[in-house]
Amino acid sequence: MNVVANILVGLVALIHLYIVVLEMFLWTSKGPKAFGITPEFAKESASLAANQGLYNGFLALALIWGLIATGSTGFQFKLYGLICVIVAGIYGALTASKKILFVQVVPGTLALVAVLLAG
């Protein structure tokens, strides 16, 4: 079960690394299509998106740290990162787009359940 949990945590971390790249570096080129916004809005909100991307990077880093660290430290970082991913995803789904439930909350929840079962 530990292998499955680590694979799921790794997938959630990869999703958030992709979001980092999208929000920090590809916002004006790929952002409009990915997030259903106009190119004009993407240009106006680029610095806000980059800031948001940085926070997604922190989430990915916590998960990666959890995969690298051993013992209870790794377990705690996985829990912390996944809970943050799930809470941020719920907030995003309520305030921005329901799509976030499927991109962020569902994978995060599956990984969290696997981590707890592997515990």
Side-chain angles (χ1 to χ4, degrees):
M1 191 64 185
N2 196 45
V3 172
V4 172
N6 284 340
I7 289 170
L8 291 173
V9 170
L11 288 173
V12 174
L14 286 174
I15 290 168
H16 282 78
L17 288 174
Y18 173 73
I19 294 170
V20 169
V21 171
L22 188 59
E23 291 177 339
M24 292 189 81
F25 307 108
L26 303 175
W27 185 250
T28 56
S29 61
K30 305 280 185 195
K33 183 177 179 185
F35 293 95
I37 58 175
T38 65
E40 295 78 20
F41 182 75
K43 194 175 283 188
E44 293 170 5
S45 62
S47 63
L48 295 173
N51 186 51
Q52 186 170 301
L54 186 61
Y55 283 94
N56 278 294
F58 295 146
L59 294 176
L61 180 61
L63 296 173
I64 293 166
W65 192 296
L67 291 170
I68 294 169
T70 58
S72 66
T73 300
F75 180 76
Q76 291 169 357
F77 267 93
K78 289 175 199 173
L79 287 183
Y80 172 78
L82 291 169
I83 291 168
C84 287
V85 162
I86 293 165
V87 170
I90 291 169
Y91 183 80
L94 291 172
T95 61
S97 169
K98 301 288 184 239
K99 182 175 141 182
I100 296 171
L101 280 173
F102 302 103
V103 173
Q104 192 167 331
V105 177
V106 169
T109 302
L110 292 173
L112 179 62
V113 168
V115 166
L116 291 171
L117 288 174

